[in-house]
Amino acid sequence: MKGIDNKYVKLSVPVGNVDWNSYSTKSVPNGKYAQFISVITDYSIDLDIHRQFKGITRMIFQDISSNKVSTKVKYRARQLIMNIERKLENIPSGPPNIEKLKKAEIPSFYRNLYEKAVQKCEEYISQSRFSISGGNYYGLPWSIEMDRLFEFWVEHWTHIFAKRIGARFYSDIRKNSRIRFYNLSNWKSLSQLKPDIIIEKGSKTLIIEVKYKKHLAYLQYGNYSPEILEEHRHDIHQLLSYMSSSGNDKRIGCLLYPIFNGSISNQFATLISYTNTKADVDVMLCGTPLQPEKFLTLIENIWNEKYTH
C-alpha cells in the first residue's frame, strides 16, 4: 500500500509526511508559519485489485483464527489486517480470484509495487487449500521453521540447476544422503557429517552448505563478536573438510546465506598451498537472492567460476 498516489498539498497544520526543509527555508522566512508542504497518500481509489486485496486479507484473517496459531502471531496479524481494512474501509470486499488478479488494471504510479503484491497473493491463494483445509491436521504455515524452509528452497533450485547442466546431484537437506563415512571402529559421530548439497560433473565438484545466519552481513560491516567469528571459522573448516573428500581436480565450496541487506557483497577466495602454489580449490561466501532466476544465475556464475558477477 506504500506510495499509492502520493499528493503534495499545502496545509495549515502539519499532517502526513511534512517537508520540514521547505517549511524552514520558504514558509518561515516569509512569515507563513501556518503553511506546511505535506505528502498525503490517497487510499480512496476504488479498483478491482483493491477489492481482491481486501478479500485476501479476510481469508488470511479466517486462516489465523484457528487455535493452532500462537497468540503472539495472531495478535500481530490482526493488527496488520485491521490497518489494511481501515485504509480500504470504503471499498467492498471481493472474493479472491487468481485470473482477476492477473488481469486487474494497475495504474502506472504504483505498478512496480503491486507486481510483487499480486505475485504474493497468487502464491497464497494457490496454497490456501493446504493452509486452511489441511491446517488443523498438518499445522498452519505460520509455524514453519524458517531455517528449514530456506534449506528446502535452496535444495529445490539447485536441483533444477543440476538437471539443466546434466550434473549429478546429491543432497542431505532431508537427511537422506547416500554419502556417508564408513566407520572402521566405534567412531559413530562421523556418520552425521554430510554435506548439504553436492553437484558434480566431469572433473568439477561444487559443495554447498546452507546457513540461515546473518554472518555474511556481520563480516562485511565488521559488526561481529568473538563468538560469531569463531562460529564462522568452524563453518569454513566444515566446508573445507567436505571439499577434501572429493577427488576431482576442480573443487568449489560455497556457504550460502539469505540476504538480509541488499547491499551485501559476495566474497570469494582461492586456496594457496603450503608450498606457495595455487591449489584448484575455491571458497565462496554468497548472499542468496530469494528470486528463482537470480538465484539460478548466481549458481551458474559460481559453477562457471565467474565469481565477480
Side-chain angles (χ1 to χ4, degrees):
M1 298 298 295
K2 290 183 178 179
I4 175 175
D5 196 16
N6 285 335
K7 295 181 178 180
Y8 289 85
V9 295
K10 292 181 181 179
L11 300 173
S12 58
V13 292
V15 175
N17 187 9
V18 178
D19 185 347
W20 292 109
N21 181 61
S22 176
Y23 179 75
S24 61
T25 58
K26 297 178 180 179
S27 299
V28 172
N30 294 314
K32 299 178 181 179
Y33 302 106
Q35 181 173 299
F36 300 89
I37 306 298
S38 301
V39 180
I40 302 298
T41 303
D42 182 8
Y43 295 106
S44 63
I45 305 172
D46 183 4
L47 298 172
D48 183 56
I49 197 165
H50 288 147
R51 294 190 285 273
Q52 293 282 307
F53 188 51
K54 190 171 181 178
I56 289 169
T57 60
R58 292 276 176 88
M59 188 173 74
I60 294 172
F61 182 80
Q62 294 174 355
D63 201 358
I64 65 166
S65 297
S66 164
N67 56 11
K68 301 286 185 180
V69 181
S70 72
T71 303
K72 182 178 179 181
V73 171
K74 196 177 296 186
Y75 174 78
R76 290 181 62 188
R78 282 177 176 171
Q79 292 297 313
L80 290 169
I81 290 171
M82 287 172 60
N83 187 34
I84 292 169
E85 293 207 330
R86 185 166 58 251
K87 292 174 179 177
L88 300 176
E89 61 182 348
N90 297 321
I91 295 174
S93 174
N97 183 293
I98 291 178
E99 293 307 314
K100 278 192 174 183
L101 281 170
K102 289 179 178 178
K103 298 174 183 177
E105 291 290 331
I106 307 171
S108 59
F109 55 77
Y110 59 106
R111 172 172 292 277
N112 291 336
L113 296 168
Y114 258 39
E115 287 296 331
K116 294 181 180 179
V118 170
Q119 180 183 353
K120 294 298 179 186
C121 291
E122 289 179 16
E123 289 174 1
Y124 186 86
I125 293 172
S126 300
Q127 297 168 10
S128 63
R129 182 182 61 81
F130 169 80
S131 63
I132 297 175
S133 303
N136 290 333
Y137 183 78
Y138 294 102
L140 287 167
W142 322 107
S143 63
I144 291 175
E145 296 177 7
M146 289 307 298
D147 56 341
R148 298 295 291 157
L149 180 61
F150 181 57
E151 289 177 346
F152 291 158
W153 190 90
V154 171
E155 180 193 49
H156 174 75
W157 290 107
T158 49
H159 184 227
I160 287 178
F161 169 76
K163 286 197 296 184
R164 281 187 183 181
I165 65 172
R168 294 186 299 277
F169 180 85
Y170 308 93
S171 171
D172 192 47
I173 295 294
R174 301 172 195 272
K175 309 302 179 188
N176 58 353
S177 174
R178 291 176 292 171
I179 299 168
R180 61 190 183 277
F181 280 93
Y182 181 74
N183 295 314
L184 297 175
S185 61
N186 293 321
W187 204 349
K188 301 297 184 183
S189 61
L190 280 178
S191 62
Q192 303 303 315
L193 298 177
K194 301 175 184 178
D196 284 344
I197 292 168
I198 299 176
I199 298 174
E200 281 191 337
K201 184 179 181 181
S203 60
K204 183 182 289 188
T205 298
L206 170 61
I207 294 180
I208 296 173
E209 279 294 296
V210 185
K211 302 294 183 184
Y212 190 72
K213 302 175 180 178
K214 290 186 178 181
H215 286 190
L216 189 58
Y218 292 147
L219 292 165
Q220 176 166 323
Y221 296 113
N223 182 22
Y224 52 82
S225 64
E227 291 77 16
I228 288 177
L229 194 59
E230 182 65 15
E231 185 178 344
H232 177 67
R233 189 173 69 87
H234 288 167
D235 290 342
I236 293 290
H237 286 177
Q238 178 189 23
L239 183 64
L240 289 172
S241 68
Y242 291 153
M243 293 169 68
S244 67
S245 65
S246 172
N248 279 342
D249 295 333
K250 182 65 184 183
R251 284 164 282 169
I252 304 171
C254 184
L255 296 179
L256 275 182
Y257 304 91
I259 289 183
F260 294 95
N261 184 326
S263 64
I264 290 177
S265 300
N266 296 332
Q267 301 178 25
F268 59 93
T270 192
L271 187 64
I272 303 296
S273 74
Y274 60 89
T275 58
N276 262 353
T277 57
K278 181 182 179 298
D280 220 357
V281 175
D282 299 333
V283 176
M284 305 281 300
L285 308 180
C286 292
T288 303
L290 296 178
Q291 292 86 34
E293 287 307 318
K294 288 184 178 180
F295 177 71
L296 288 169
T297 300
L298 171 69
I299 297 299
E300 182 180 11
N301 286 336
I302 293 172
W303 179 259
N304 293 324
E305 302 167 50
K306 299 177 180 179
Y307 303 143
T308 56
H309 291 263

